[in-house]
Amino acid sequence: MERVDRCVVLVDAGYLLGAAASLLAGEPARSRITVDHAALIQGLRERAEADTERPLLRIYWFDGAPDRVPQPEHRRLRVMPRVTVRLGALTRSDGRWAQKGVDAAMHAELTELARNRACSDVVLVTGDGDLLPGLMSAKEHGVAVHLWAVQAADGDYNQSEDLVAEADERRVLDRAWITCAVRAKELGGPCAPQPVPRPEIAAILSAPLPESALAAAQSAGPDAVRNGSRPLDGAGVGAPAADAVDQLPAPVAKGVPTPKDLATLHAAGAAPAAVHPASATLRWSSDKGWIDRPGAGPLGEPAETASLPTLAQLTSAEQRWADREEDITTVGGDPFEVGQVFARRWMERLPESGHVQKLSTMYPRIPHRIDGELLRYAARFGLLAHKDDQIDEHDRYAIRAGFWREIDVRAAAEHAPAGE
């Protein structure tokens, strides 16, 4: 069998993105970076073809996923040309995520490609010494092995020295190359961009705190969070358990109270009327769990929002399939954009425009049924924080701000005179 002169790229995503996060954000958590996967794949292809002087056969993307269920980034990657996604398990132990089976899958693919003479050159983007036997086997079958490293944050190696010594060719993907497709999310990393302030989020955060809620917060005291339960906000997302914040000081007044603030006050036994008077508004959505409103239904939902349909109720099976394809191919996963997309779909499918006007009067509080859908939808885009599997607080503000931006645009358009 004659060997085909073409190259294959095997990418250990855990190594590539973890090392990139260390370089750009100062820690290996992938939640600290955002990735333009289309640009990253294109960069890998161009670099591989230039280094090996061979056309690309395929890029294999090896990564871990809980229960091997493809995540949004995996679904986007696997529909890209010349990309094949292979998933290992992602398990959690001692509070940390760990990949299982990824190295074994890379080893099997590498040796199979070499044995079948499917390519003349293999590019390995990994640092794990467990791949050394596979690398040696590929060389014995006449394949040239190119080992690529991500520039180490401390200027030292972030690869197995045995792996480096055994490779035929070695390259470093430096900071300039990495930042063409990867950037740090937050200010604080060496290459993190200055975040652009969004006035929509600022407006939510700067809403005035009612005097009665301020007095309740100041009188709650440090013991307010002891021996409490784990309440849920309107989306069904848990606020931190009381014993987990036992050492924290009493809540400090900072704009409109969040569900976490309200939970703290209820743990202290504050009366609902003192915590949240009828005239107050919430920075986070919460129609349920802490507030007794006149006319509320059996589930605690205000009468004025009970008639608002959810997106699931408005979406047919065919639309659901189209939505998933759009999410995979066109929605980038920026929190603000995610909120906009959700709001746009919800409004387009409403049977009557009066629902939009009704909702717009509730700003900034989103009814808990709709807000729960919104946050569950956002979680599909990898917006869960790496520590507690909840969406980051600032991302929640951005998601909801994107939602309200679309609502405001539609409400303004419907109120505009016909000639404008």
Side-chain angles (χ1 to χ4, degrees):
M1 183 188 299
E2 184 178 352
R3 185 177 305 282
V4 180
D5 287 336
R6 53 194 178 187
C7 67
V8 170
V9 181
L10 305 182
V11 180
D12 179 350
Y15 165 77
L16 173 59
L17 300 182
S22 293
L23 179 65
L24 303 182
E27 61 178 271
R30 287 162 61 171
S31 61
R32 292 292 307 278
I33 57 175
T34 57
V35 183
D36 183 340
H37 289 93
L40 181 57
I41 292 298
Q42 184 62 28
L44 288 169
R45 177 171 187 165
E46 293 174 355
R47 182 69 177 264
E49 291 182 335
D51 278 11
T52 65
E53 298 180 348
R54 302 284 189 270
L56 177 76
L57 169 62
R58 190 173 297 114
I59 295 175
Y60 288 89
W61 185 272
F62 296 88
D63 202 1
D67 298 322
R68 291 186 167 86
V69 175
Q71 301 300 295
E73 66 182 86
H74 303 137
R75 296 198 297 268
R76 286 193 288 270
L77 282 163
R78 66 185 183 181
V79 298
M80 293 181 184
R82 301 294 179 113
V83 177
T84 295
V85 175
R86 297 280 189 259
L87 294 179
L90 192 63
T91 60
R92 191 160 191 171
S93 177
D94 297 328
R96 300 182 63 183
W97 289 104
Q99 296 182 159
K100 299 293 183 183
V102 172
D103 295 337
M106 289 188 71
H107 180 279
E109 199 72 58
L110 177 58
T111 54
E112 193 70 12
L113 289 166
R115 185 182 300 114
N116 291 330
R117 306 175 72 83
C119 59
S120 58
D121 297 73
V122 168
V123 175
L124 288 177
V125 185
T126 186
D128 199 325
D130 290 345
L131 277 178
L132 182 62
L135 186 155
M136 297 173 67
S137 175
K139 290 176 62 177
E140 290 169 0
H141 283 87
V143 173
V145 180
H146 305 250
L147 183 66
W148 290 0
V150 176
Q151 179 181 340
D154 56 6
D156 201 352
Y157 286 120
N158 54 14
Q159 292 176 302
S160 160
E161 291 188 19
D162 291 336
L163 206 63
V164 173
E166 193 66 29
D168 295 307
E169 301 286 345
R170 306 164 192 84
R171 293 288 184 273
V172 174
L173 304 176
D174 60 16
R175 185 189 300 269
W177 190 94
I178 292 293
T179 51
C180 290
V182 183
R183 64 180 179 85
K185 270 188 177 178
E186 305 170 4
L187 186 64
C191 292
Q194 179 70 29
V196 179
R198 287 188 170 130
E200 298 84 5
I201 301 176
I204 294 175
L205 296 177
S206 62
L209 179 68
E211 292 183 2
S212 55
L214 175 61
Q218 291 174 337
S219 63
D223 295 331
V225 296
R226 288 189 172 90
N227 302 320
S229 60
R230 183 182 177 88
L232 299 177
D233 71 5
V237 180
D243 56 355
V245 291
D246 192 26
Q247 302 303 319
L248 296 180
V252 178
K254 47 178 182 180
V256 176
T258 67
K260 179 179 177 181
D261 298 330
L262 296 177
T264 298
L265 294 173
H266 275 272
V275 175
H276 194 286
S279 60
T281 56
L282 286 179
R283 146 186 328 160
W284 284 17
S285 170
S286 180
D287 285 332
K288 181 179 180 182
W290 297 282
I291 305 162
D292 294 326
R293 293 178 180 272
L299 296 179
E301 183 173 11
E304 68 269 20
T305 65
S307 62
L308 293 177
T310 63
L311 181 60
Q313 293 171 333
L314 298 170
T315 304
S316 67
E318 292 78 9
Q319 287 174 320
R320 191 171 294 111
W321 176 267
D323 290 347
R324 185 174 67 172
E325 291 302 305
E326 181 184 4
D327 292 341
I328 293 172
T329 57
T330 63
V331 181
D334 173 75
F336 191 80
E337 178 191 12
V338 167
Q340 289 180 301
V341 171
F342 182 93
R344 198 176 303 130
R345 289 176 184 167
W346 184 74
M347 290 187 293
E348 287 173 353
R349 296 167 193 174
L350 284 173
E352 53 183 271
S353 60
H355 288 310
V356 175
Q357 298 300 331
K358 182 184 297 184
L359 181 63
S360 66
T361 63
M362 304 175 190
Y363 176 87
R365 179 176 50 81
I366 305 174
H368 74 270
R369 292 179 304 124
I370 298 173
D371 190 63
E373 269 197 319
L374 172 61
L375 293 185
R376 287 192 296 272
Y377 171 67
R380 294 166 50 188
F381 292 89
L383 293 174
L384 296 178
H386 66 286
K387 288 184 179 179
D388 53 8
D389 295 337
Q390 296 181 17
I391 298 177
D392 177 79
E393 184 176 13
H394 186 271
D395 284 347
R396 289 180 182 225
Y397 293 145
I399 292 164
R400 288 162 175 145
F403 177 90
W404 280 118
R405 167 56 65 88
E406 290 299 307
I407 297 295
D408 290 344
V409 169
R410 174 65 66 87
E414 291 178 355
H415 271 97
E420 293 186 5

